[in-house]
Amino acid sequence: MLELLEKPNKEINVFFPVKLDSGKIEIFKGYRVQHNNWRGPYKGGIRYHPMVDLDETCALALWMTIKCAVVDVPFGGAKGGVEVDPKKLSRSELESMTRAYMRAIASDIGPTIDIPAPDVNTNAQVMGWMRSEYQKVTQDNSLGVVTGKDTRNGGIEGREEATGLGGYLVLSSLIRKIELPKNPTVAIQGFGNVGSNIAKYLFENGFRIVALSDSRGGIYLRRGQFDVLAVRKCKEEGGRIAGCYCVNSVCDLGNKLKFDGRDVTNEEILELPVDIVIPAALENVITMQNAAKIKAKVVLEMANGPTTSQADKILSKRGIVVVPDILANSGGVTVSYFEWEQNKEGQKWEKPKVARELARKMNKAFVEVWQIAQDQKVSLRQAAYILALKRIASRLPQN
Ligand code: NAD
């Protein structure tokens, strides 16, 4: 079974032409990797990033198979992406590229076959274009062909915040089990969908957010804490987190001096003297080079694959609790599952129901993982894999 799971069921490589605003035609390279579907249709996000490649997409697809099994939603795992810097495209170019990518992969997609969702640099708008193009190509107008759609277009209330909320719920459960100071300090790398939403829930629930970053760098307050809601607004207006020294609803560079703040790099932010560090950007950021320098007591992996396996061993030896990605960030796919169910049944779930059902799923997954870790004296990551692999193995096809 392990040999089977090492390889994805299908790797799709596509090259597709897109006409840019200048009239020039550019060929883009995209991928969709379908890892495993023993537990249900393939499921996984679409990433737009210059570093997207087949290796990364395969790893992300495998983690989706494992994650869906940890949180026990009836999906397999997949992932897709396009090698592109979306910041360099106009809105109309982004739409044309998204539609062309969907045309290229449409024959392998479908509401009971493989269901894409948002990931890095994709959002409800991109999902809307994907669904519309799928409908054009196949004449199938099922809403459930993608998840993470706009609520006016078949999306579910609360999907946008789901990954952040799920992470917050898992962290809250963990804190009841381990010793941490009251109002723990937190550093978060990445301030997109996942980073900014978990920051908001933590801020609203008494955690002290002392460091934040995005791809252009980070900010840190040695004495004091950020007003996350004001930082979100500041980043929305200025397009970057640098300079958003917002405290008590006032964004002013003077706060930097007043609260002993300084700018930090994306490497430094992980090594700050905080209680909890949250990588929420890209993979492979905690490595052999910096694992010994991590000072936090807890690493909450909101990004997929932020810790290399060598670094994981170092963190574990040092007694740092790592909440693995396949548990910590599974709130997103869980609410995607609710959206898919809602579309299938022609229903509309209200936000309180989404939040209630998400909490039920996340708490159950945490308790199961925690119990295995205690009983078998293994890390939370190993426990999550034990739980997932048992569930996947029970569906091993007999023929
Ligand atoms: P996003 O595009 O909304 O945000 C990404 C953030 O990371 C941005 O703030 C960006 O500036 C920052 N970033 C990019 N490169 C960086 C770098 N080198 N250093 C520091 N920051 C950098 O993406 P997202 O949806 O928030 O996804 C973030 C991570 O969470 C990814 O690993 C993704 O796979 C994972 N994830 C996302 C979801 C979801 O529902 N969106 C679900 C599960 C896991």
Side-chain angles (χ1 to χ4, degrees), residues 47 49 60 64 67 79 87 118-122 159-160 162-164 189-196 213-217 235 266 279-283 285 302-305 325 329-333:
R47 179 174 292 196
H49 197 275
L60 290 164
M64 283 306 297
K67 189 184 305 182
K79 202 81 185 188
K87 289 183 191 129
D119 190 69
V120 174
N121 289 326
T122 57
R159 171 62 184 89
E160 191 96 4
T163 310
Q189 183 193 59
F191 203 69
N193 173 305
V194 176
S196 72
S213 74
D214 63 16
S215 59
R216 290 157 163 164
K235 168 153 173 147
N266 266 307
L282 295 175
E283 55 268 20
V285 291
M302 293 305 291
N304 283 308
D325 46 6
N329 71 30
S330 60
V333 75

Side-chain angles (χ1 to χ4, degrees), residues 103-124:
R103 281 196 298 280
I105 61 169
S107 56
D108 284 290
I109 303 294
T112 57
I113 303 166
D114 182 355
I115 308 139
D119 190 69
V120 174
N121 289 326
T122 57
N123 54 20

Side-chain angles (χ1 to χ4, degrees), residues 88-108:
K88 293 195 177 139
L89 298 184
S90 68
R91 187 181 157 89
S92 68
E93 289 170 338
L94 192 66
E95 175 173 355
S96 305
M97 191 204 74
T98 300
R99 288 181 180 277
Y101 171 59
M102 182 44 123
R103 281 196 298 280
I105 61 169
S107 56
D108 284 290

Side-chain angles (χ1 to χ4, degrees), residues 44 70 84 98-99 116 148 155 206 218 244 246 261 294 323 329 344 359:
V70 170
V84 60
T98 300
R99 288 181 180 277
C244 290
C246 308
I294 305 281
V323 186
N329 71 30
K344 216 168 56 165

Side-chain angles (χ1 to χ4, degrees), residues 352-371:
K353 178 173 173 180
V354 175
R356 207 173 48 242
E357 289 301 308
L358 175 64
R360 198 176 58 78
K361 279 281 199 198
M362 298 305 297
N363 292 339
K364 182 168 173 285
F366 177 81
V367 168
E368 286 171 326
V369 170
W370 181 264
Q371 202 53 51

Side-chain angles (χ1 to χ4, degrees), residues 4 33 51 56 70 79 129 184 207 236 277-278 310 349:
L4 271 172
V33 172
M51 303 296 284
E56 180 192 67
V70 170
K79 202 81 185 188
W129 291 327
F207 291 74
E236 255 166 50
V277 70
I278 305 184
Q310 297 97 325
W349 288 29

Side-chain angles (χ1 to χ4, degrees), residues 43-340:
K43 184 87 187 86
I46 304 287
R47 179 174 292 196
Y48 289 169
H49 197 275
M51 303 296 284
V52 162
D53 63 18
L54 186 60
D55 257 9
E56 180 192 67
T57 315
C58 284
L60 290 164
L62 176 139
W63 286 324
M64 283 306 297
T65 303
I66 305 289
K67 189 184 305 182
C68 291
V70 170
V71 78
D72 205 12
V73 292
F75 287 138
K79 202 81 185 188
V82 179
E83 199 185 302
V84 60
D85 183 353
K87 289 183 191 129
K88 293 195 177 139
L89 298 184
S90 68
R91 187 181 157 89
S92 68
E93 289 170 338
L94 192 66
E95 175 173 355
S96 305
M97 191 204 74
T98 300
R99 288 181 180 277
Y101 171 59
M102 182 44 123
R103 281 196 298 280
I105 61 169
S107 56
D108 284 290
I109 303 294
T112 57
I113 303 166
D114 182 355
I115 308 139
D119 190 69
V120 174
N121 289 326
T122 57
N123 54 20
Q125 173 64 80
V126 172
M127 292 305 115
W129 291 327
M130 290 195 74
R131 179 182 166 242
S132 147
E133 195 60 29
Y134 181 80
Q135 188 178 353
K136 247 195 227 164
V137 176
T138 63
Q139 310 301 313
D140 175 355
N141 67 355
S142 309
L143 286 169
V145 66
V146 292
T147 59
K149 301 179 291 290
D150 193 288
T151 46
R152 287 164 300 183
N153 192 10
I156 193 166
E157 298 283 349
R159 171 62 184 89
E160 191 96 4
E161 309 91 294
T163 310
L165 176 56
Y168 163 70
L169 293 168
V170 169
L171 186 60
S172 306
S173 303
L174 177 78
I175 281 177
R176 282 180 229 120
K177 304 275 187 195
I178 63 170
E179 295 245 329
L180 272 189
K182 210 170 173 292
N183 307 110
T185 53
V186 186
I188 306 176
Q189 183 193 59
F191 203 69
N193 173 305
V194 176
S196 72
N197 277 303
I198 192 160
K200 175 178 139 281
Y201 287 109
L202 293 172
F203 170 69
E204 289 171 345
N205 287 283
F207 291 74
R208 285 177 293 152
I209 314 295
V210 299
L212 292 165
S213 74
D214 63 16
S215 59
R216 290 157 163 164
I219 48 179
Y220 171 44
L221 293 177
R222 228 182 311 240
R223 277 176 260 285
Q225 56 173 309
F226 288 107
D227 176 336
V228 169
L229 303 181
V231 173
R232 270 163 70 128
K233 222 166 140 232
C234 172
K235 168 153 173 147
E236 255 166 50
E237 284 161 9
R240 60 182 66 198
I241 215 159
C244 290
Y245 282 93
C246 308
V247 179
N248 294 331
S249 72
V250 178
C251 300
D252 187 333
L253 270 181
N255 284 330
K256 188 172 164 184
L257 200 67
K258 191 167 163 196
F259 296 96
D260 198 7
R262 64 182 169 93
D263 297 345
V264 286
T265 64
N266 266 307
E267 289 75 43
E268 282 175 282
I269 197 166
L270 300 171
E271 300 167 15
L272 292 173
V274 292
D275 298 311
I276 302 163
V277 70
I278 305 184
L282 295 175
E283 55 268 20
N284 297 337
V285 291
I286 304 182
T287 64
M288 254 163 77
Q289 273 70 44
N290 63 358
K293 298 186 204 152
I294 305 281
K295 296 179 191 69
K297 299 168 192 76
V298 174
V299 174
L300 181 72
E301 293 187 337
M302 293 305 291
N304 283 308
T307 312
T308 65
S309 52
Q310 297 97 325
D312 202 35
K313 290 193 189 103
I314 299 172
L315 297 180
S316 166
K317 257 196 207 138
R318 296 184 56 222
I320 296 172
V321 179
V322 178
V323 186
D325 46 6
I326 48 175
L327 171 64
N329 71 30
S330 60
V333 75
T334 302
V335 174
S336 272
Y337 165 60
F338 300 158
E339 179 176 334
W340 182 74

